[in-house]
């Protein structure tokens, strides 16, 4: 619009072809432009909006006003050429005096809002190091003082963009004085912080936290004297990097999870970053620093180190490429599987060199390095290799688990399945390699065979575990109880015993039926005739487990009873006798109640104990044998040496107790 107004009217209209009228016109336009710019910047809200938005508004206002002046000069020159009889003979101050004053005000306001934007960063600065807390407190105090200075400006009663308002200049002057003092304080904080930094990197991190404030003249002057010291520290750090490279380049330290080549390159890249990052920061310093002798010396050392590191990286990549060309082709022709002839176990035969190559390529891509075509061609199949080796590992683990956990008695039940597996996996041991077609078909069929065999064996073992859990529950609870260490009358003890035995017998009978069902389930899984020798041998194995369970149940019950009649155990455990025996006068005789033996014709205590022991044996009759259609487990219990030992001990203690009672007569 301004270009159109200035360009099309000035030489044509007679109304404005005199200097006086031209001045009036441009002053009117300037005043209107000032009003619109002041309204856009809005001095009443300039401190309420975000500082960055305030900076942008003021910059736009300045750019617009300067564009107006630039357009004027362009068309003045054009008019002087095209209208030589009537050139524009008006001085700039006469036209733009008020606009220049407004531009100065906008420039001051730009400086003010940019200062607010920069100093606001002090709110989140925390300085580390030994002096960190003290320096952070100093920064916080500067920030609080800054907020107070800004607050005074926010509370002025006039429009800060009003060029007629002269109080602004005084207020702005006082604000600048305060800011310069704060800058000196911040410069002092930075100098102390830099002195406290142990490394160049730490120093630049400190400077980075004050980003935006470092360009301020006073702070920059304070820091310039410290940059030489930083350069000297950086020079020492470069020497250390160079020494470390020369010392360890033949055997660099590598992270545990990284392959050798990529690990070495990552190490060299780390040295390069350590050498290069501070240089990037130094190159942003003032010209006086860049032109100093110290800087030139550091740049020379830096260039030498970076050249050595790049040459090291190039040599490593070339050597690795040669190694790939020699070894990789042969590795891919190796068979999928191999068998350990000593243990008969299977192993996946994916060479470690191939694994390393895939890992090298992965990390080299992460480092942004070029990868040789041979290696890249193999890496493109990495997902296929990962899937294939993963499935083969699963097959091998399942197969080896079966081989390691297979009992001799279980082997005949899965003999045919193992024979079929061994016959088929020979294809993966002798025929197929990593470049062959049909690998996935081989994996699918092998997986199916191995899973079937593994399922059979796991079912057999799980069923045995279930049976053992049932038997353990029997044996852990004796067929006899004693409540609260009470002393029983023989009739009470007999009644309680009959109740316990009845309850436990029912549960054992039910569990016995469950065991028969479990064994039947195992037979369905192996799909073997019940008359087959292999199945009969396996049932005999389960039958012996049941016999051991019955035997342990009986032993624990006898052991409990033995402890109740053993004087030594009673004394050591400080427990009460099990049965109360009274000595009664029944003229003309003296008698025990209950009687100790059966000579009196009454049921004696010995008879009761015998009855208890018979009940312990009777668990062997609670369900039929597994290895025959009929019969029970009484015979095995009666022949058990452990059971006989406990019975003898009970009878021995019973006899001794009877003898001690008889001594009172």
């Amino acid at each position: 619009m301004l270009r159109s107004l200035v360009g099309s009217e000035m030489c044509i209209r007679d109304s404005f072809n005199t200097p006086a009228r031209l001045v009036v016109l441009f002053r009117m336009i300037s005043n209107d432009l000032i009003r619109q710019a002041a309204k856009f910047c809005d001095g009443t809200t300039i401190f309420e909006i975000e500082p960055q938005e305030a900076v942008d508004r003021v910059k736009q206002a300045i750019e617009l006003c300067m564009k107006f002046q630039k357009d004027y000069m362009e068309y003045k020159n054009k008019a002087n050429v095209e209208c030589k009889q009537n050139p524009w003979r008006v001085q700039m101050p006469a036209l733009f005096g008020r606009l220049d004053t407004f531009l100065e005000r906008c420039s001051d306001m730009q400086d003010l809002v940019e200062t607010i934007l920069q100093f606001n960063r002090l709110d989140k600065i925390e300085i580390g190091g030994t002096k960190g807390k003290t320096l952070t407190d100093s920064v916080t105090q500067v920030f609080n003082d800054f907020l107070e200075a800004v607050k005074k400006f926010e509370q002025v009663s006039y429009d800060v963009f009003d060029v007629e308002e002269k109080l602004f200049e005084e207020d702005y002057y006082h604000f600048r004085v305060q800011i310069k003092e704060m800058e000196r304080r911040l410069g002092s904080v930075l100098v102390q912080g830099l002195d406290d930094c142990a490394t160049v990197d730490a120093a630049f991190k400190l400077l980075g936290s004050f980003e935006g404030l470092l360009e301020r003249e006073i702070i920059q002057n304070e820091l310039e004297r410290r940059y030489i010291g930083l350069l000297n520290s950086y020079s020492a750090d470069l020497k250390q990097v160079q020494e470390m490279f020369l010392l360890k380049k033949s055997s660099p330290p590598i992270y545990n999870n990284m392959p050798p080549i990529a690990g070495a390159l990552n190490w060299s890249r780390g040295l390069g970053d350590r050498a290069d990052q501070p240089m990037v920061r130094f190159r942003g310093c003032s010209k006086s620093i860049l032109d100093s002798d110290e800087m030139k010396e550091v740049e020379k050392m830096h260039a030498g180190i970076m050249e050595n590191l790049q040459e090291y990286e190039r040599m490593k990549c070339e050597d690795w490429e040669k190694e790939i060309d020699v070894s990789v082709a042969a590795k891919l022709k190796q068979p999928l599987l191999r068998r350990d002839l000593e243990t008969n176990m299977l192993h996946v035969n994916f060479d470690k060199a191939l694994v390393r190559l895939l890992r090298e390529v992965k990390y080299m891509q992460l480092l942004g390095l070029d990868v040789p075509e041979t290696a890249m061609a193999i890496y493109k199949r990495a997902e296929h290799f990962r899937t294939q080796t993963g499935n083969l590992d699963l097959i091998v683990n399942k197969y080896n688990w079966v081989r390691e956990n297979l009992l001799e008695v279980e082997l005949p039940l899965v003999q045919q399945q193992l024979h079929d597996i061994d016959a088929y996996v020979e294809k993966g041991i002798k025929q197929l390699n990593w470049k062959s077609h049909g690998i996935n078909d081989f994996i699918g069929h092998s997986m199916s065979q191995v899973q079937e065999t593994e399922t059979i064996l796991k079912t057999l073992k799980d069923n045995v575990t279930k049976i053992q859990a049932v038997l353990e529950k029997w044996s852990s609870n004796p067929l006899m109880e004693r409540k609260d260490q009470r002393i029983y009358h023989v009739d009470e003890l007999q009644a309680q015993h009959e109740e316990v035995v009845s309850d436990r017998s029912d549960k054992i009978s039910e569990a016995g039926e469950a065991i028969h069902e479990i064994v039947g389930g195992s037979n369905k899984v192996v799909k073997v005739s019940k008359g087959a020798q292999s199945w009969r041998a396996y049932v005999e194995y389960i039958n012996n487990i049941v016999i051991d369970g019955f035997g342990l149940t009986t032993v624990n019950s006898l052991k409990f009873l033995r402890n109740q009649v053993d004087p030594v155990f009673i004394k050591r455990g400080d427990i009460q006798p099990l049965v109360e025996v009274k000595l009664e006068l029944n003229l003309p005789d003296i008698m025990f109640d209950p009687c100790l033996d059966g000579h009196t014709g009454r049921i004696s205590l010995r008879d009761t104990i015998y009855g208890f022991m018979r009940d312990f044996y009777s668990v062997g009759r609670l369900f039929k044998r597994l290895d025959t259609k009929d019969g029970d487990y009484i015979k095995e219990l009666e022949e058990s040496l452990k059971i006989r030992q406990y019975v003898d001990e009970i009878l021995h203690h019973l006899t001794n107790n009877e003898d001690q009672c008889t001594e009172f007569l």
Side-chain angles (χ1 to χ4, degrees):
M1 181 181 73
L2 290 173
R3 293 175 65 88
S4 176
L5 177 63
V6 175
S8 63
E9 300 291 340
M10 292 301 143
C11 290
I12 300 173
R13 299 271 180 101
D14 294 336
S15 304
F16 296 98
N17 63 356
T18 64
R21 291 184 177 181
L22 193 64
V23 169
V24 171
L25 175 63
F26 271 91
R27 284 181 178 177
M28 291 173 63
I29 295 173
S30 296
N31 289 337
D32 189 56
L33 192 59
I34 290 171
R35 281 193 299 272
Q36 294 299 324
K39 182 179 179 181
F40 174 72
C41 293
D42 192 1
T44 60
T45 62
I46 193 70
F47 297 109
E48 297 175 2
I49 61 178
E50 290 293 325
Q52 185 60 58
E53 184 181 351
V55 171
D56 294 340
R57 285 190 185 186
V58 176
K59 282 184 176 180
Q60 290 179 43
I62 293 173
E63 289 172 1
L64 181 63
C65 293
M66 294 182 70
K67 182 70 167 54
F68 176 57
Q69 291 181 331
K70 180 182 177 182
D71 287 346
Y72 166 78
M73 290 303 300
E74 179 182 341
Y75 283 97
K76 177 184 177 182
N77 295 332
K78 185 177 181 181
N80 290 342
V81 172
E82 297 180 2
C83 305
K84 294 180 180 180
Q85 72 282 5
N86 189 18
W88 295 3
R89 301 181 184 279
V90 182
Q91 297 297 319
M92 290 283 288
L95 295 177
F96 301 116
R98 195 166 186 269
L99 185 61
D100 287 339
T101 303
F102 180 73
L103 280 171
E104 289 178 6
R105 179 64 58 87
C106 286
S107 178
D108 291 341
M109 284 302 300
Q110 180 181 350
D111 176 69
L112 192 150
V113 292
E114 284 181 343
T115 299
I116 293 174
L117 180 64
Q118 293 167 352
F119 272 73
N120 275 349
R121 293 172 180 163
L122 298 177
D123 185 31
K124 298 180 179 178
I125 289 179
E126 288 190 14
I127 301 174
T130 57
K131 299 179 181 178
K133 187 177 186 307
T134 301
L135 297 178
T136 301
D137 291 342
S138 298
V139 172
T140 302
Q141 186 59 50
V142 170
F143 180 67
N144 291 333
D145 293 344
F146 168 75
L147 293 179
E148 286 295 323
V150 173
K151 187 176 181 182
K152 291 179 181 179
F153 237 114
E154 292 175 348
Q155 294 174 345
V156 296
S157 58
Y158 54 83
D159 183 354
V160 293
F161 288 98
D162 183 359
V163 294
E164 306 300 331
E165 184 55 67
K166 302 304 180 184
L167 286 175
F168 174 84
E169 295 176 3
E170 183 179 348
D171 291 335
Y172 180 66
Y173 171 76
H174 289 302
F175 178 77
R176 288 294 303 145
V177 170
Q178 290 176 295
I179 291 299
K180 288 180 184 298
E181 175 59 27
M182 294 176 199
E183 289 176 2
R184 279 189 283 270
R185 290 160 62 186
L186 287 177
S188 175
V189 168
L190 278 168
V191 168
Q192 294 179 64
L194 290 174
D195 290 341
D196 195 40
C197 289
T199 64
V200 176
D201 187 56
F204 277 115
K205 284 182 179 178
L206 173 64
L207 294 175
S209 62
F210 286 85
E211 186 179 1
L213 290 164
L214 301 180
E215 291 77 16
R216 304 188 74 86
E217 184 178 356
I218 294 176
I219 296 177
Q220 197 170 59
N221 291 338
E222 288 286 341
L223 291 178
E224 195 162 308
R225 295 189 292 270
R226 288 296 184 276
Y227 276 119
I228 298 300
L230 284 178
L231 274 173
N232 292 333
S233 298
Y234 178 43
S235 176
D237 201 31
L238 286 177
K239 290 178 182 177
Q240 188 177 14
V241 169
Q242 191 172 35
E243 291 172 1
M244 189 180 302
F245 172 72
L246 296 174
L247 181 64
K248 297 185 178 181
K249 66 179 183 179
S250 59
S251 180
I254 298 174
Y255 290 117
N256 291 334
N257 63 326
M258 295 191 77
I261 303 300
L265 296 180
N266 183 62
W267 169 75
S268 68
R269 287 284 180 94
L271 292 179
D273 290 342
R274 180 176 170 181
D276 198 47
Q277 289 176 0
M279 178 57 73
V280 175
R281 302 282 187 90
F282 276 116
R283 285 170 177 162
C285 293
S286 63
K287 190 174 184 299
S288 61
I289 297 297
L290 294 176
D291 292 340
S292 65
D293 293 338
E294 291 86 349
M295 184 66 183
K296 291 177 181 178
E297 184 66 28
V298 163
E299 284 183 322
K300 182 178 179 181
M301 189 184 307
H302 169 267
I305 290 173
M306 298 307 293
E307 184 179 350
N308 289 338
L309 290 174
Q310 290 167 6
E311 178 64 17
Y312 176 79
E313 185 175 298
R314 185 185 64 79
M315 292 294 295
K316 279 287 183 182
C317 291
E318 288 181 358
D319 292 344
W320 182 57
E321 187 172 359
K322 293 176 183 177
E323 180 184 340
I324 293 171
D325 293 337
V326 172
S327 64
V328 168
K331 303 297 183 184
L332 289 174
K333 293 180 180 180
Q334 292 180 344
L336 302 180
L337 301 173
R338 61 183 176 84
R339 187 185 292 276
D340 189 319
L341 298 179
E342 293 184 3
T343 63
N344 206 31
M345 299 298 173
L346 292 177
H347 300 278
V348 178
N349 197 36
F350 194 74
D351 198 276
K352 292 181 180 180
L354 292 173
V355 176
R356 173 187 155 187
L357 181 143
L358 297 177
R359 295 179 66 231
E360 293 282 13
V361 175
K362 174 185 174 182
Y363 281 98
M364 284 190 170
Q365 287 185 322
L366 292 175
L367 292 172
L369 297 171
D370 293 332
V371 178
E373 292 183 5
T374 306
M376 200 64 210
I378 296 173
Y379 186 73
K380 288 179 180 178
R381 298 178 59 198
E383 185 60 25
H384 294 290
F385 289 139
R386 187 191 66 80
T387 303
Q388 290 170 352
T389 55
N391 287 328
L392 287 171
D393 276 330
L394 191 59
I395 291 169
V396 165
N397 290 338
K398 289 177 179 292
Y399 176 87
N400 291 344
W401 181 87
V402 170
R403 283 290 187 187
E404 289 172 348
N405 293 276
L406 193 65
L407 299 178
E408 185 178 349
V409 72
E410 295 166 337
L411 176 59
L413 300 177
V414 293
Q415 185 71 58
Q416 186 59 48
Q417 288 87 342
L418 287 175
H419 179 270
D420 293 342
I421 293 173
D422 289 338
Y424 190 76
V425 297
E426 282 297 308
K427 185 178 179 181
I429 296 174
K430 295 182 178 179
Q431 299 178 23
L432 295 175
N433 61 49
W434 298 103
K435 300 178 72 174
S436 300
H437 297 290
I439 294 177
N440 291 337
D441 292 338
F442 170 78
I443 289 173
H445 188 71
S446 299
M447 182 73 76
S448 177
Q449 287 182 310
V450 172
Q451 281 182 333
E452 179 185 358
T453 306
E454 181 195 43
T455 299
I456 292 173
L457 186 58
K458 281 189 173 181
T459 301
L460 292 176
K461 292 189 176 297
D462 288 345
N463 287 347
V464 170
T465 300
K466 292 177 183 178
I467 293 172
Q468 290 173 331
V470 171
L471 297 172
E472 184 178 357
K473 187 180 295 184
W474 300 351
S475 60
S476 61
N477 297 308
L479 295 169
M480 182 177 182
E481 294 180 0
R482 184 178 184 184
K483 298 179 180 179
D484 302 326
Q485 297 301 316
R486 62 177 294 188
I487 301 175
Y488 291 90
H489 187 275
V490 69
D491 294 335
E492 290 180 306
L493 182 61
Q494 180 66 38
Q496 177 180 296
H497 174 72
E498 290 175 358
E499 181 180 349
V500 170
V501 170
S502 175
D503 178 64
R504 294 288 305 285
S505 296
D506 292 341
K507 293 179 179 178
I508 291 174
S509 296
E510 293 173 2
E513 295 176 3
I515 289 174
H516 275 275
E517 292 180 3
I518 291 172
V519 174
S522 296
N523 180 258
K524 291 180 181 178
V525 169
V526 297
K527 300 176 183 178
V528 174
S529 170
K530 292 184 179 181
Q533 179 60 36
S534 59
W535 177 250
R536 289 166 60 189
Y538 182 74
V539 170
E540 181 64 25
Y541 160 70
I542 300 296
N543 198 61
N544 289 333
I545 294 176
V546 173
I547 291 173
D548 291 341
F550 275 130
L552 190 56
T553 301
T554 303
V555 165
N556 287 342
S557 299
L558 290 169
K559 182 178 180 181
F560 182 85
L561 178 58
R562 188 277 312 271
N563 291 339
Q564 305 305 311
V565 297
D566 181 1
V568 175
F569 181 85
I570 292 172
K571 183 177 181 180
R572 185 172 61 244
D574 193 22
I575 61 176
Q576 297 293 329
L578 177 65
V579 178
E580 180 183 26
V581 178
K582 297 180 181 179
L583 185 62
E584 296 181 346
L585 178 60
N586 189 7
L587 294 175
D589 298 320
I590 297 176
M591 304 178 61
F592 288 105
D593 183 23
C595 63
L596 301 180
D597 54 42
H599 296 140
T600 61
R602 295 182 297 164
I603 296 178
S604 65
L605 181 58
R606 180 180 287 268
D607 293 333
T608 302
I609 299 299
Y610 280 179
F612 289 174
M613 291 190 290
R614 283 194 298 271
D615 291 338
F616 298 160
Y617 276 98
S618 66
V619 294
R621 296 192 180 94
L622 294 177
F623 70 85
K624 64 181 181 179
R625 298 178 67 93
L626 294 172
D627 55 348
T628 60
K629 293 183 178 179
D630 299 310
D632 52 39
Y633 295 96
I634 291 294
K635 181 179 179 182
E636 285 79 2
L637 296 180
E638 290 176 344
E639 293 177 351
S640 169
L641 296 178
K642 192 72 173 177
I643 291 176
R644 288 184 176 185
Q645 175 187 340
Y646 277 106
V647 169
D648 290 343
E649 290 181 9
I650 292 171
L651 294 178
H652 172 72
H653 293 310
L654 191 61
T655 300
N656 286 343
N657 291 338
E658 290 174 351
D659 291 343
Q660 291 181 26
C661 290
T662 305
E663 291 178 0
F664 285 99
L665 297 178

